[in-house]
Amino acid sequence: MLAWFLFLSITVSVVVYAVWVSPSRTFLFLNSISKSVKNIMGWGNIYRRRMKVFTAALIIYLDYKAVQQRGKWTSKSKRNALWEKAHERNAKRVLSLIIKLEGLWVKLGQYLSTRADVLPEAYISLLKQLQDSLPPRPLKEVCRTIQKEFGKSMDDLFAEFVEKPLATASIAQVHRATLLNGQEVVVKVQHDGIKAIILEDLKNAKSIVNWIAWAEPQYDFNPMIDEWCKEAPKELDFDHEAENTRTVAANLGCKKSPGESYSSNRVNVLIPEVIQSTKSVLILEYMDGIRLNDTASLEAFGIDKQKIVEEITRAYAHQIYVDGFFNGDPHPGNFLVSKEAPHRPILLDFGLTKKLSSSLKHALAKMFLASAEGDHVALLSAFSEMGLRLRLDMPEQVMEITSVFFRSSTPATEAQQNLKSLAEQREKNMKAIQEKLQLNQKEVKRFNPVDAFPGDIVIFGRVLNLLRGLSSTMNVRIVYMDIMKPFAEAVLGNINKTPAANAQWIYNTPVHSDVETKLRQLLVELGNNDKILGIQVCAYKDGEVIIDTAAGVLGRYDPRPVQPDTLFSVFSATKGITAGMLHWLVDNGKLKLDENVANIWPEFRGNGKEHIKVHHILNHTSGLHNALADLRGENAFLMTEWDACLKLIEASQPETEPGKQQLYHYLSFGWLCGGIIEHASGKKFQEILEEALIRPLKIEGELYVGIPPGVEARLANLTLDTDDLKKLSEMRNRAEMPSTFQLNNISELAEYLPAFFNMLNVRRAIVPAANGHCSARALARYYAALADCGVVPPPHSSASNPPLGSHPHIPKFPSKKTDEKQKGKVDGGVKNERSDGRQNIYIRIEEDDDDDEEKCSKSSRDTSKGGGPENKKGKIFSNPRVHEAFMGVGEYENMCLRDGVFGLGFRRLKSKDGDGSYSGFGHSGMGGSTGFCDVKNRFAMAVTLNKLSFGGVTAKIVELICSELNLPLPEGLSGSGDINRPLIN
């Protein structure tokens, strides 16, 4: 978006550079231009215009080079004066050249005159006269145009016509007049012959751009010049401008009477009424106002410049984000300030306007809000929606550049400092690109990070830069994030987020059962009560899918629908996945539950941790519950560093004796298990995840702990249910939670968690206690397998679209240092096939009164029929007592604290009003996402959602489904009215 303005600013310099270092290429370039426009205007005229540009550019270039050399031998005190005089000389040369050339060059000068934030004062003070003070055209020419357009004499049109123009700009000049009925008006008259000049300059600019792209591929401005060629000629049609003026005035709800009230979504500006128009003449009502560059008059009338510029900015935010139809030329000459109080901005000149499609308007609003909130995922999603494609995966740099684009304006007095800051930022980004792609200096200079640039946003970019220049010229500071945010929120905040406003709120997938029909009715009710933003629910009964529903939208500012393959951040539900991986290693003989952790992980030894065993970690009784409690505030991003977190674990010291007290290891659990997994297996964490769960369960592409690049478009954005947050004051502290994870800490966490975990670098990190991303159908399938002692269920419902496991799955394993030889390479994909080419088989087990061990034994026998390798391929666990291990009962009872909430890695679930025995297990996450299974009834389900609450929505869903299926309600996952048992772990 900045590229067009960069092009305008460097065109002269590039031409000079070309002549200086490559005269042969420049000659070919000039020759190609000559041939392409020869038939449009006389060769002599073209040649003279071009030679004027090249001559002036060469003189200016040599002047600055001379000053640069002299500056090396001049004292610092005199050096500034030397440069100031050079700026004054060259600004006069540029102004003289532009006045002679007219046409598109005036537009360039107008743009440069607004950039007080980046240009020396000498240029600003001289070039600002191009806004409305060019030498006027002869009155005879003006009258001739008017009479020709209306077919009447001047006397038949006006009672009075003032000969001296109010303003003269690039395309037209404006005269004050009085109509025959006595109404005071202004008459805007197009310069004779200006159309041919503008069109010629556009063609020349296109040729220059083509040559620049050929000579310097990283500066390909073709999308910008193509958009300009499409939009600029419209400015020459004053009938078109008249219609634009009426449209913008209606959109902004302009009111002329002082003192009238304005609603919050309206802006307090004035726009002149259109009286009459033709192709080349426009008559508007006269409004008495003060020019923005008339500082003395503004002060005399007591006008607050800050408020005026803020209101202009609000008017443009409304045009862009609310209306999708905006004026593309907000330079100071196109504004006045009314002399009557309350002093309001008067908006003029709607010749260059841009209409945005609804989808592009939403994408621009999303881009702005993503930048404001630091949401990398939403930003990349916005880029994708508007057609902006990048050639490299560097979300942090993209966010920085976008934030610079929406940065607060700076007064003109800070121009030099601002330029230096931007240059440093660019150098930093180029260095990051060079390191990322391992390019040399020459290659990085020629590298263009943009693969596709949508022309539709060129004018949008121009407007933001002109507004920034306007505020700098007025010497005020504008915080665009604060002023524009309400308007961007208005357009996306009212998207079809509720079922009442969106007939497609429930994603169109077949209903699997009667209970799913009733579930969807409940979801609609909760959605209309604003308790759901986006959600997925999937359930298995007896190994078969009975529910697979997706509903809502991807985010607060993302109207795309939640689909069955959408990836949700499930927070601590990740612990259940991590625990399953550790049990898989036990099942495969890689470690033992009663083994000392220090024997597996030598660096873990020390600081009183010698007697901590694997089962202490899984049971949350190791005493290391606060080991990573400092990873908050300024240290939060350390959470994304795998090796650093393992070192913190190694240096930690238990606060209680192992096995004596169960306190929830809310953050340390993941890295404790992760360290054991990697040291016991000799493989990376995500390799074990792939081997143990992803491939056997056929859930490729729908379960990650740390997402890889390429899945961002499927991510749901997190937000917070603020009503639930208010209820925290009514809740009591819980004994099983550590001191650093009580209600006051949870309240602090909840407020920053959505923003923090929406950040792409956080989503990509391996945080095995809290950073799982999955679909409900993938998580439910995992628990359906666990419910049957590890037997893999049959393929997921064929009615699901896209099919489960159909996404290309490219795992990324950053948990250990990359071999130097492998730097820059990407890990290969994982094939979604069995070696024997056959599908896994699941045999339905009849319900009976057998105990868990017997059920698992039956399932094992029925799956393979023949034992051996087939049995292993049909199951992810071979231990017939694996349920006892998960729940910490039977022969594993001594490894768990009696009556503790947790078994070995999972939360133990009792049936409400039952006999007190454990019926199942699972794990929930902060915000309500959960996965669990009822072993006795062979039932498993998962809920994933993006509007974080304290479990009320999840509890209602669990209650409904269990009630409809006549299943006992699991304690801790139901009881939506129990305010003292929020679903937070």
Side-chain angles (χ1 to χ4, degrees):
M1 285 168 280
L2 295 174
W4 167 246
F5 313 113
L6 175 62
F7 157 67
L8 289 176
S9 303
I10 69 169
T11 296
V12 171
S13 299
V14 168
V15 171
V16 172
Y17 172 80
V19 174
W20 188 262
V21 302
S22 184
S24 59
R25 280 192 173 188
T26 306
F27 174 77
L28 291 173
F29 158 63
L30 291 176
N31 191 44
S32 66
I33 292 178
S34 303
K35 291 178 180 178
S36 65
V37 299
K38 203 171 191 180
N39 297 324
I40 298 175
M41 295 182 67
W43 167 253
N45 186 32
I46 296 172
Y47 180 79
R48 282 193 297 271
R49 287 174 66 80
R50 201 158 293 144
M51 285 307 299
K52 287 177 182 177
V53 174
F54 293 147
T55 302
L58 184 59
I59 292 171
I60 292 169
Y61 175 79
L62 294 176
D63 190 355
Y64 277 124
K65 289 299 289 183
V67 171
Q68 188 180 46
Q69 293 301 317
R70 286 177 61 189
K72 295 178 181 179
W73 310 102
T74 306
S75 63
K76 190 174 181 180
S77 59
K78 296 181 180 180
R79 197 177 302 155
N80 289 338
L82 197 66
W83 279 103
E84 285 178 11
K85 289 180 181 179
H87 291 325
E88 289 174 6
R89 286 194 306 272
N90 291 313
K92 289 177 182 178
R93 288 169 177 150
V94 171
L95 176 62
S96 175
L97 175 68
I98 289 174
I99 290 174
K100 290 176 183 176
L101 294 176
E102 296 183 321
L104 197 64
W105 293 98
V106 176
K107 287 291 181 185
L108 169 61
Q110 288 175 341
Y111 172 74
L112 295 176
S113 72
T114 68
R115 299 312 307 272
D117 54 331
V118 295
L119 280 180
E121 171 59 27
Y123 283 89
I124 303 303
S125 60
L126 281 173
L127 295 181
K128 67 182 180 182
Q129 64 182 279
L130 297 172
Q131 295 165 10
D132 54 19
S133 303
L134 285 169
R137 292 293 181 95
L139 181 62
K140 185 177 180 181
E141 176 189 313
V142 171
C143 293
R144 184 171 63 245
T145 300
I146 294 173
Q147 290 173 150
K148 177 183 176 183
E149 289 292 305
F150 289 108
K152 296 181 180 180
S153 67
M154 295 294 289
D155 292 339
D156 290 336
L157 291 169
F158 306 106
E160 182 182 2
F161 190 88
V162 179
E163 295 184 6
K164 184 178 180 181
L166 290 171
T168 303
S170 58
I171 290 175
Q173 64 190 48
V174 179
H175 291 258
R176 188 172 176 181
T178 305
L179 298 179
L180 297 178
N181 62 6
Q183 182 178 4
E184 291 191 62
V185 296
V186 293
V187 185
K188 182 177 179 179
V189 185
Q190 191 172 121
H191 299 322
D192 188 28
I194 194 64
K195 184 174 183 179
I197 294 174
I198 292 288
L199 294 178
E200 164 64 16
D201 286 343
L202 285 171
K203 289 180 181 293
N204 286 348
K206 175 65 174 173
S207 297
I208 292 172
V209 164
N210 287 336
W211 182 80
I212 293 173
W214 170 64
E216 301 289 340
Q218 74 273 29
Y219 294 123
D220 185 359
F221 300 105
N222 271 293
M224 298 78 170
I225 192 63
D226 289 344
E227 175 71 5
W228 199 258
C229 289
K230 182 177 75 173
E231 296 295 334
K234 296 177 183 178
E235 199 172 2
L236 300 169
D237 183 351
F238 286 0
D239 278 331
H240 181 72
E241 180 177 345
E243 187 58 34
N244 293 341
T245 305
R246 295 187 186 100
T247 300
V248 176
N251 289 342
L252 295 182
C254 294
K255 301 176 182 179
K256 302 175 190 174
S257 302
E260 286 191 49
S261 62
Y262 288 82
S263 61
S264 59
N265 64 336
R266 291 298 179 187
V267 293
N268 200 356
V269 298
L270 299 172
I271 295 177
E273 181 184 354
V274 176
I275 307 299
Q276 195 173 358
S277 68
T278 70
K279 291 287 185 182
S280 300
V281 180
L282 177 61
I283 302 177
L284 303 164
E285 72 167 311
Y286 171 74
M287 287 186 169
D288 194 14
I290 305 167
R291 299 183 190 280
L292 293 186
N293 58 13
D294 188 353
T295 305
S297 296
L298 292 174
E299 292 177 356
F301 278 84
I303 293 171
D304 187 335
K305 293 191 293 183
Q306 180 75 28
K307 288 184 177 179
I308 292 297
V309 179
E310 284 182 358
E311 199 60 31
I312 290 173
T313 305
R314 292 184 71 249
Y316 272 84
H318 194 292
Q319 291 175 64
I320 293 168
Y321 296 119
V322 179
D323 308 323
F325 187 81
F326 59 94
N327 180 358
D329 201 19
H331 65 73
N334 285 342
F335 300 101
L336 298 173
V337 181
S338 62
K339 292 182 178 179
E340 294 184 8
H343 305 291
R344 289 179 280 177
I346 301 172
L347 277 55
L348 307 171
D349 193 349
F350 295 88
L352 179 61
T353 56
K354 180 66 183 176
K355 183 174 179 60
L356 304 174
S357 65
S358 178
S359 59
L360 181 57
K361 183 175 70 171
H362 285 161
L364 289 174
K366 187 195 291 189
M367 177 178 70
F368 177 87
L369 293 169
S371 176
E373 299 183 6
D375 188 342
H376 296 74
V377 174
L379 181 64
L380 295 180
S381 171
F383 281 0
S384 176
E385 290 169 36
M386 66 177 68
L388 178 59
R389 295 198 304 272
L390 305 176
R391 287 194 171 100
L392 70 172
D393 176 47
M394 297 184 68
E396 290 79 13
Q397 280 68 36
V398 172
M399 176 61 73
E400 286 181 9
I401 292 169
T402 309
S403 299
V404 166
F405 192 59
F406 293 114
R407 71 191 184 279
S408 300
S409 67
T410 53
T413 52
E414 300 176 18
Q416 188 172 358
Q417 182 181 350
N418 189 43
L419 263 178
K420 183 180 178 182
S421 174
L422 291 175
E424 290 174 350
Q425 182 67 49
R426 173 177 167 77
E427 185 178 348
K428 176 185 173 184
N429 289 331
M430 294 306 293
K431 186 176 180 181
I433 291 173
Q434 184 177 2
E435 292 176 354
K436 172 92 174 178
L437 301 180
Q438 297 183 344
L439 304 175
N440 58 38
Q441 288 289 343
K442 184 177 180 181
E443 289 171 332
V444 76
K445 287 181 179 179
R446 294 181 63 84
F447 178 74
N448 185 354
V450 179
D451 183 51
F453 188 92
D456 281 342
I457 62 175
V458 170
I459 308 299
F460 168 76
R462 168 185 165 84
V463 164
L464 289 190
N465 279 281
L466 283 171
L467 288 175
R468 183 172 291 105
L470 171 66
S471 62
S472 294
T473 301
M474 299 290 286
N475 213 33
V476 297
R477 192 182 302 275
I478 301 296
V479 183
Y480 293 104
M481 289 295 185
D482 292 344
I483 295 176
M484 297 181 124
K485 188 175 182 180
F487 296 95
E489 286 181 328
V491 66
L492 289 181
N494 295 324
I495 57 178
N496 300 327
K497 294 188 295 186
T498 64
N502 183 0
Q504 304 299 318
W505 190 78
I506 298 282
Y507 192 73
N508 186 23
T509 52
V511 176
H512 295 78
S513 61
D514 291 340
V515 67
E516 187 167 21
T517 299
K518 294 182 179 180
L519 168 70
R520 293 186 178 189
Q521 293 171 354
L522 173 63
L523 296 183
V524 167
E525 178 185 334
L526 292 171
N528 283 327
N529 290 331
D530 200 28
K531 303 307 293 181
I532 293 175
L533 182 62
I535 194 168
Q536 297 168 327
V537 182
C538 184
Y540 280 74
K541 181 70 173 72
D542 299 325
E544 297 178 357
V545 176
I546 60 169
I547 296 171
D548 188 8
T549 290
V553 295
L554 288 183
R556 195 168 130 207
Y557 302 125
D558 193 338
R560 291 177 298 154
V562 170
Q563 300 184 33
D565 62 336
T566 296
L567 299 175
F568 284 80
S569 178
V570 295
F571 291 100
S572 284
T574 313
K575 291 183 176 70
I577 297 165
T578 302
M581 294 164 60
L582 203 152
H583 279 286
W584 183 84
L585 289 175
V586 172
D587 196 68
N588 282 272
K590 297 294 184 182
L591 74 156
K592 297 178 180 179
L593 291 172
D594 60 356
E595 193 171 356
N596 286 337
V597 175
N599 292 342
I600 306 163
W601 181 359
E603 296 84 357
F604 183 82
R605 192 183 308 277
N607 294 328
K609 300 193 295 293
E610 292 82 2
H611 301 295
I612 295 177
K613 300 181 182 296
V614 173
H615 65 76
H616 291 140
I617 303 296
L618 288 170
N619 193 229
H620 297 266
T621 56
S622 74
L624 298 173
H625 42 276
N626 287 327
L628 298 178
D630 291 336
L631 294 188
R632 290 182 296 196
E634 293 182 2
N635 294 323
F637 285 103
L638 192 60
M639 190 187 304
T640 65
E641 300 293 333
W642 176 268
D643 290 335
C645 288
L646 289 185
K647 288 186 182 302
L648 288 175
I649 291 290
E650 292 165 1
S652 63
Q653 183 174 351
E655 297 180 20
T656 59
E657 184 181 346
K660 297 299 182 182
Q661 187 175 2
Q662 189 175 82
L663 290 167
Y664 183 45
H665 291 36
Y666 60 97
L667 201 52
S668 58
F669 180 90
W671 280 287
L672 285 164
C673 290
I676 295 170
I677 288 168
E678 291 202 343
H679 283 83
S681 67
K683 297 181 180 181
K684 299 172 184 178
F685 179 89
Q686 289 185 319
E687 288 179 295
I688 297 299
L689 176 61
E690 297 292 315
E691 185 178 350
L693 305 179
I694 303 299
R695 293 200 296 270
L697 291 173
K698 304 292 185 184
I699 53 176
E700 284 90 342
E702 293 194 29
L703 193 155
Y704 295 99
V705 180
I707 64 166
V711 303
E712 294 86 358
R714 292 193 286 128
L715 294 177
N717 291 321
L718 300 167
T719 189
L720 182 66
D721 187 333
T722 52
D723 291 337
D724 259 27
L725 186 63
K726 295 174 185 176
K727 296 177 183 177
L728 275 177
S729 60
E730 305 172 35
M731 300 180 188
R732 296 193 299 269
N733 285 339
R734 292 169 57 176
E736 75 270 22
M737 298 296 178
S739 59
T740 56
F741 201 63
Q742 290 296 337
L743 294 184
N744 60 320
N745 310 108
I746 294 171
S747 178
E748 294 173 8
L749 281 171
E751 289 185 355
Y752 87 83
L753 273 180
F756 184 73
F757 277 90
N758 276 336
M759 298 178 71
L760 194 57
N761 58 330
V762 176
R763 288 185 185 261
R764 290 181 174 177
I766 303 174
V767 186
N771 203 30
H773 287 78
C774 62
S775 63
R777 63 185 185 176
L779 188 59
R781 186 169 175 81
Y782 168 62
Y783 277 100
L786 298 189
D788 278 338
C789 293
V791 176
V792 176
H796 194 74
S797 170
S798 60
S800 293
N801 189 26
L804 177 61
S806 63
H807 284 286
H809 194 85
I810 305 175
K812 185 181 179 183
F813 307 134
S815 58
K816 287 190 176 181
K817 290 183 179 179
T818 306
D819 188 281
E820 288 297 321
K821 295 180 180 179
Q822 297 297 319
K823 281 188 178 180
K825 295 185 179 180
V826 180
D827 292 313
V830 179
K831 291 184 178 180
N832 184 18
E833 297 177 352
R834 282 179 47 159
S835 59
D836 59 5
R838 296 189 299 168
Q839 293 182 340
N840 292 314
I841 299 172
Y842 175 83
I843 304 299
R844 178 169 178 156
I845 305 172
E846 297 298 328
E847 293 187 29
D848 52 32
D849 295 328
D850 294 333
D851 63 16
D852 291 344
E853 180 182 352
E854 181 60 23
K855 282 185 179 180
C856 288
S857 298
K858 275 190 176 183
S859 178
S860 175
R861 292 194 300 269
D862 292 343
T863 300
S864 68
K865 298 289 186 182
E870 283 296 318
N871 180 46
K872 189 172 183 180
K873 288 191 176 183
K875 291 171 63 72
I876 54 176
F877 291 101
S878 58
N879 178 11
R881 295 182 179 273
V882 71
H883 285 160
E884 292 184 2
F886 295 152
M887 293 185 285
V889 297
E891 67 178 54
Y892 301 91
E893 184 175 4
N894 293 332
M895 295 184 179
C896 295
L897 197 68
R898 186 180 296 274
D899 297 326
V901 173
F902 295 97
L904 293 180
F906 297 89
R907 178 172 179 147
R908 304 191 282 198
L909 302 176
K910 293 180 180 179
S911 300
K912 265 191 168 185
D913 305 322
D915 59 4
S917 64
Y918 296 111
S919 60
F921 54 90
H923 217 297
S924 301
M926 172 78 77
S929 292
T930 192
F932 75 96
C933 61
D934 180 334
V935 176
K936 292 183 177 180
N937 292 285
R938 296 187 62 225
F939 171 74
M941 70 171 289
V943 178
T944 54
L945 40 77
N946 58 353
K947 188 166 190 177
L948 308 184
S949 65
F950 292 108
V953 169
T954 304
K956 288 180 179 178
I957 290 170
V958 172
E959 288 174 357
L960 171 72
I961 294 174
C962 289
S963 173
E964 290 296 320
L965 295 176
N966 198 26
L967 298 175
L969 289 174
E971 285 186 354
L973 292 175
S974 58
S976 53
D978 187 358
I979 196 68
N980 292 309
R981 302 295 298 180
L983 192 65
I984 58 176
N985 59 282

